[in-house]
Amino acid sequence: MNGANLDDLVDLLGRWASGRGPLYLLLASRLRVLIDDGVLPPDEPLPPDRVLARRLAVGRGTVVAAYDLLQQEGRVVRRQGSGTRVAALDLPATRTADGVPANPLMQHILHPPDGVQLLTCAAPHDPPAAMFEAYEEAAARLKGTWDLGYQPAGNPALRAALADYYCARGLRTTPDEIMVTTGAQQALTLLTALLVAPGDTVLTESPTYPGALEAFRHASAVVKPGTPEQLRERPALAYFVPTARNPDGAVMPNSERRRLAALAAQYDVPLIDDEVCAELCFSGETPPPTAAYGPGNGQVEQVVTVGSLSKLVWGGLRVGWIRAAAPLVSRLSRLRAVHDLGGEVLGQLAAAALLRRLDEVREARVRTLRARHDHLCAELRERLPSWSFEPARGGQTIWVRLPRGEVDAFAQVALRHGVAVPPGRSFDPLGGHAGHMRLHFLFPEDELSRAVNNLAAAWASFDGAGRAVSRHALIV
């Protein structure tokens, strides 16, 4: 990078060191924003470690650590002899019509590639009839009222319905312990903003939901993979998906669930129990929330439960929630009020109506998902017998391992054959699982067959090599 460009980068970094936390995390956080916003475009060279360190008046180790972290996330590529560059994006439509680079996290939503099956977005496309009926009921209920929706904690009717829902699952809950959010992703973002400071450690499983990893990284946290036993190290926050885990559909045994709750209580670690897919167990039984595994069936106050209707009902139903101790809900509500005075009222009233028909909606969705899961597994075994995977026990996705090569490179070949797949590095806090990918089974059987046929054609032409590219397509 020449002197002029170095000056430009320093100007773009601005007051990057003015926040709290280790300098390398603050530098990585600012560079991450510049990359994700397209200000630093694909293939843009970044200054050598020593050059940037000297210009920023920091130790070389600060720059090296920041670059290494961004490399783990797939945002930069570092090669000896050729330096550090922003990761290339060999995907279509990386710029908007006005020439502004699109955020790579959003490109498959903002600019869907023509004729490509998106296996990157695991959200149901086919809402049930019950949802439309719930909206009709909600509209009738709303008519004649003057509810403006300025309720940061959520609509009272929905908070009461969610409290009843958790009581029925063995976790005593009052409406004051419920906060409604615009989807589970907002819930994770609010919790991270409140509980995590720059430089704090967040403990997660691996693999895990990449949307959570992004929220933690943007808070300049140090994200570490681990097991429940590592709660002994007292991280600032822990994040687990015990039921129908995204990406592999695993279900944590009750004994381990109880151990997880006990460790969170013993070491006073806030623990997020992500239950977004909890109602999608193929057994037809939904385990109790982790917070219900306290001594004598009491609740564990350190456990914060996050839920949503977007996976059970429809991806476009942006209604999620947080179940937590009332003081924490109050703090979260004050934080949300700064940015968002409240969610859309009609959707919240429809969600309350849907909760009354939960058994009906769940049984239909699980029946459909189980059939599509079995179909996808059968197709993979027949067409791609060298690929390995474990059948899911719930949820919407399976976790597949290639026998050779990295999925970053295979994903480009698959895209040219009409299928977009999310590489496994996105699901690992340290950028591991390079040979894995997540496949969802939300499409009807004929579309799943077509996707597998295209994947098989791509695999037949894949030699296990290829240039690695950014994995940050939208993955939910």
Side-chain angles (χ1 to χ4, degrees):
M1 174 174 282
N2 61 40
N5 287 339
L6 176 58
D7 291 341
D8 290 343
L9 178 59
V10 172
D11 289 342
L12 290 170
L13 288 172
R15 299 177 61 188
W16 66 271
S18 62
R20 294 182 299 162
L23 287 176
Y24 84 94
L25 286 174
L26 297 176
L27 179 58
S29 179
R30 181 58 184 155
L31 287 169
R32 183 185 297 117
V33 171
L34 295 175
I35 292 170
D36 286 354
D37 286 350
V39 178
L40 295 177
D43 285 326
E44 175 80 6
L46 297 178
D49 310 339
R50 294 184 187 278
V51 173
L52 185 57
R54 184 167 57 249
R55 187 59 186 276
L56 297 178
V58 298
R60 176 173 175 262
T62 295
V63 178
V64 170
Y67 281 173
D68 285 348
L69 179 58
L70 293 171
Q71 179 175 239
Q72 290 174 5
E73 298 172 8
R75 287 180 165 89
V76 304
V77 176
R78 287 166 62 76
R79 293 191 179 94
Q80 189 170 6
S82 58
T84 303
R85 290 178 174 269
V86 176
L89 291 171
D90 291 342
L91 298 177
T94 58
R95 290 181 178 268
T96 60
D98 57 6
V100 177
N103 186 330
L105 280 168
M106 298 294 293
Q107 60 185 322
H108 278 162
I109 294 298
L110 294 173
H111 306 283
D114 292 337
V116 173
Q117 290 180 291
L118 297 181
L119 295 180
T120 48
C121 185
H125 302 73
D126 47 348
M131 190 192 78
F132 299 101
E133 294 164 3
Y135 266 94
E136 291 175 358
E137 178 182 331
R141 180 172 181 174
L142 189 62
K143 188 175 182 180
T145 71
W146 293 97
D147 187 350
L148 297 177
Y150 288 177
Q151 299 156 332
N155 181 271
L158 179 53
R159 295 177 76 191
L162 286 166
D164 291 343
Y165 164 73
Y166 281 110
C167 287
R169 292 181 59 200
L171 179 60
R172 294 191 303 275
T173 302
T174 65
D176 288 343
E177 295 172 311
I178 296 292
M179 177 178 175
V180 180
T181 60
T182 305
Q185 189 65 35
Q186 185 186 62
L188 294 174
T189 302
L190 289 170
L191 286 165
T192 303
L194 189 64
L195 300 175
V196 178
D200 281 349
T201 297
V202 177
L203 179 71
T204 77
E205 300 166 285
S206 182
T208 192
Y209 170 52
L213 296 179
E214 288 299 305
F216 304 146
R217 286 168 179 154
H218 278 275
S220 296
V222 178
V223 189
K224 293 184 177 179
T227 65
E229 293 299 322
Q230 287 174 267
L231 268 69
R232 300 174 184 273
E233 300 172 10
R234 288 189 165 90
L237 180 68
Y239 172 79
F240 283 75
V241 190
T243 310
R245 184 172 64 181
N246 181 349
D248 58 3
V251 177
M252 183 181 288
N254 287 346
S255 57
E256 188 173 353
R257 209 177 290 254
R258 189 178 302 279
R259 179 65 173 157
L260 179 63
L263 288 167
Q266 181 179 355
Y267 294 100
D268 196 24
V269 176
L271 167 69
I272 297 177
D273 174 14
D274 188 333
E275 282 206 317
V276 168
C277 290
E279 292 288 356
L280 301 179
C281 291
F282 293 162
S283 66
E285 298 180 0
T286 304
T290 303
Y293 283 86
N297 295 323
Q299 71 180 49
V300 180
E301 291 192 357
Q302 289 81 359
V303 179
V304 178
T305 309
V306 169
S308 169
L309 290 178
S310 65
K311 308 299 186 186
L312 177 64
V313 180
W314 178 48
L317 183 57
R318 307 305 305 150
V319 176
W321 58 84
I322 298 168
R323 189 271 174 209
L328 180 57
V329 168
S330 179
R331 292 170 62 198
L332 288 164
S333 299
R334 291 196 296 272
L335 175 62
R336 183 185 182 184
V338 175
H339 307 283
D340 181 1
L341 295 177
E344 187 266 325
V345 178
L346 192 63
Q348 293 184 69
L349 293 176
L354 283 165
L355 285 171
R356 293 193 293 273
R357 303 175 63 174
L358 180 65
D359 291 345
E360 168 196 343
V361 173
R362 179 184 58 241
E363 288 171 7
R365 178 66 71 188
V366 169
R367 183 167 57 249
T368 298
L369 285 174
R370 190 188 299 117
R372 293 177 179 178
H373 165 272
D374 293 348
H375 182 81
L376 174 62
C377 291
E379 290 282 88
L380 289 173
R381 292 187 184 107
E382 178 180 350
R383 298 300 309 278
L384 292 157
S386 65
W387 291 13
S388 57
F389 61 90
E390 290 293 328
R393 296 181 60 193
Q396 308 173 119
T397 59
I398 58 173
W399 189 234
V400 178
R401 181 180 178 87
L402 300 185
R404 56 181 169 81
E406 294 190 355
V407 176
D408 295 272
F410 174 70
Q412 295 309 303
V413 181
L415 192 64
R416 293 194 289 271
H417 285 78
V419 187
V421 297
R425 293 185 195 271
S426 300
F427 302 83
D428 189 300
L430 301 181
H433 289 96
H436 287 80
M437 73 178 100
R438 187 193 72 180
L439 300 180
H440 75 65
F441 40 87
L442 289 163
F443 293 149
E445 280 85 345
D446 59 337
E447 290 190 46
L448 289 173
S449 295
R450 182 162 63 90
V452 174
N453 286 340
N454 291 338
L455 288 172
W459 182 245
S461 65
F462 179 62
D463 62 3
R467 182 161 57 90
V469 297
S470 173
R471 65 185 181 277
H472 288 275
L474 180 68
I475 303 172
V476 297

